[in-house]
Amino acid sequence: MRRDPTSARAAAAVLMATLPLLLAGSGPALADSDPVELPVARAELRADESCAAASERPAEREPWTIRALGLSRAWQQSQGAGVTVAVVDTGVGTSIPALAGRVETVGSADDDCVGHGSFAAGLIAAARTKGVGPAGVAPAARILAVRGTEERGTTTPDLLADGIRKAADQGAKVIYVARALPTGREELTTAVAYATRRDALVVAPFAPDTVPQDKAEQGKEEKGKAAPLWYWPAAVPDVLSVMDYGAGGDRPAGAPMALSADLAAPGIGVVGNGPKGSGHYLGSGSSFAAAHVAGAAALVRARHPELSAAEVTRRLLGTAYPASPPRLDVYGALTAVLTDAAGTVPKQPPAGLPESPSPAPRHRAVLVASAAGGLVLLVAVAAVVIPLGRARRWRPAD
């Protein structure tokens, strides 16, 4: 869908035509989903394509992700107020009604030609507006737009690393990185370490949303050459890497294997805003799942400001639903009491030892025992000698 806009529109039409049937059999959490056909959000544009325009179709009903993440209950605990989430992507539009007054930009990041960054920012922090169903995970959080790509969405490790550093310098507590690259280990590891030292939590997709067409053809020609197992910055230990899943809990055929994902979140068939206006787009991929997790991290940091970035990660992972990888539980991350936290060992008072006893009683006991023993010995000797003396009339022996 990235490479061919005609295919993208056709695929979107097929997807939206079958979406109501899928949602009808997926349980009560999906019953309110909107069957309106929406344009498809993309990550890159060709040089001859025009920039993404405002969508003319607003989604009026609540998308399945709201209930799947339990956001109605979570918003009673936190809405992310006071937390800034950096979006290192294609930029974020500043005229989006759902983000009005809450978007700051660095450099040229206020111009989002592709629309991917605006879509992700909406998943993170879009506020509920009248007549519109979709909303972001942290609707009171602020967005810091930082460009991590070229104008049309192409990127390099250096561009992403520079975006991460800029976001950390601006004081963002959560840094969302939209891309996963097969190269750039050194550059992105260094950039993540820079952000971590400033107590920023970096969230990124565990793998690309799709494999570009030219890479797929190259893979056919190079038989026997395995696809990359690790993508960056997701593979950096301090990064929270995220996998996507759909309304039925499954992933599409041919999706990248989740060998390195830390967490899973909704990312297939999700609804978000475009680069301008109040209309909506439809998107799929682990980059959008990572946006949901970035929003959840903002909720946790707002409710528990005393927690470090590493402790927020531990809370998100420790409260997730058991699966492989674990699935995000927003309400649990906000309210759970983690029982495996190391407790403090009570300080024991020093033991009180009694004073050394006086030796006088022992000496008296030894003296009495010695006297008694001597008396007994004397009586025993007398009992033998006296009868013998009497028998000899006390005459000395010859």
Side-chain angles (χ1 to χ4, degrees):
M1 289 189 293
R2 291 181 181 175
R3 307 293 295 183
D4 187 351
T6 303
S7 300
R9 288 192 292 271
V14 173
L15 176 60
M16 295 314 301
T18 58
L19 188 58
L21 298 177
L22 293 174
L23 298 177
S26 300
L30 313 176
D32 295 340
S33 295
D34 199 322
V36 175
E37 180 181 347
L38 300 174
V40 177
R42 300 169 61 190
E44 296 182 22
L45 298 176
R46 293 198 309 265
D48 59 348
E49 292 183 273
S50 59
C51 293
S55 171
E56 298 179 356
R57 297 179 178 272
E60 299 177 357
R61 297 185 183 179
E62 185 177 90
W64 69 274
T65 53
I66 300 291
R67 293 190 185 181
L69 292 172
L71 295 183
S72 297
R73 288 198 307 162
W75 289 334
Q76 298 175 16
Q77 306 295 326
S78 172
Q79 294 193 19
V83 176
T84 297
V85 181
V87 176
V88 182
D89 201 348
T90 58
V92 177
T94 56
S95 62
I96 303 170
L99 296 172
R102 292 183 293 119
V103 178
E104 299 177 14
T105 61
V106 176
S108 62
D110 59 341
D111 180 19
D112 185 10
C113 176
V114 181
H116 191 280
S118 299
F119 189 101
L123 296 180
I124 295 170
R128 181 72 57 86
T129 57
K130 185 177 180 180
V132 170
V137 177
R142 300 190 65 83
I143 293 294
L144 176 67
V146 182
R147 186 174 293 282
T149 70
E150 300 288 354
E151 181 183 4
R152 297 188 170 272
T154 58
T155 191
T156 65
D158 288 333
L159 286 174
L160 289 183
D162 184 60
I164 293 172
R165 289 191 184 90
K166 288 179 178 178
D169 288 338
Q170 294 295 320
K173 289 298 182 182
V174 180
I175 300 177
Y176 162 77
V177 182
R179 297 303 178 87
L181 301 179
T183 60
R185 174 177 180 173
E186 181 178 352
E187 301 94 319
L188 292 169
T189 298
T190 302
V192 170
Y194 183 87
T196 302
R197 289 194 297 269
R198 285 155 179 77
D199 195 34
L201 172 57
V202 181
V203 183
F206 84 106
D209 292 344
T210 58
V211 178
Q213 185 177 355
D214 55 348
K215 296 295 182 183
E217 294 299 327
Q218 181 181 357
K220 293 179 181 179
E221 297 175 0
E222 298 178 2
K223 295 182 179 180
K225 185 176 181 180
L229 294 178
W230 307 103
Y231 291 92
W232 310 94
V236 180
D238 290 325
V239 173
L240 188 56
S241 61
V242 185
M243 183 196 81
D244 55 322
Y245 64 84
D250 299 325
R251 306 187 69 230
M257 295 180 62
L259 297 178
S260 58
D262 298 316
L263 200 61
I268 299 175
V270 298
V271 179
N273 48 249
K276 60 185 71 174
S278 57
H280 293 91
Y281 277 70
L282 183 72
S284 293
S286 57
S287 66
F288 300 134
H292 283 125
V293 173
L299 295 183
V300 174
R301 302 215 77 164
R303 179 170 171 78
H304 301 284
E306 75 282 0
L307 298 181
S308 66
E311 290 170 331
V312 172
T313 297
R314 175 178 168 274
R315 176 168 282 272
L316 290 169
L317 296 178
T319 59
Y321 296 110
S324 180
R327 298 196 170 187
L328 175 65
D329 179 1
V330 180
Y331 184 77
L334 292 172
T335 60
V337 177
L338 302 183
T339 57
D340 59 344
T344 58
V345 179
K347 186 177 181 180
Q348 298 291 342
L353 299 177
E355 296 181 0
S356 300
S358 174
R362 185 176 59 180
H363 293 168
R364 285 195 298 269
V366 171
L367 182 59
V368 171
S370 299
L375 181 60
V376 170
L377 181 59
L378 181 61
V379 171
V381 172
V384 174
V385 172
I386 292 175
L388 292 176
R390 285 180 179 177
R392 295 177 61 81
R393 295 177 184 250
W394 301 104
R395 292 194 303 265
D398 293 339

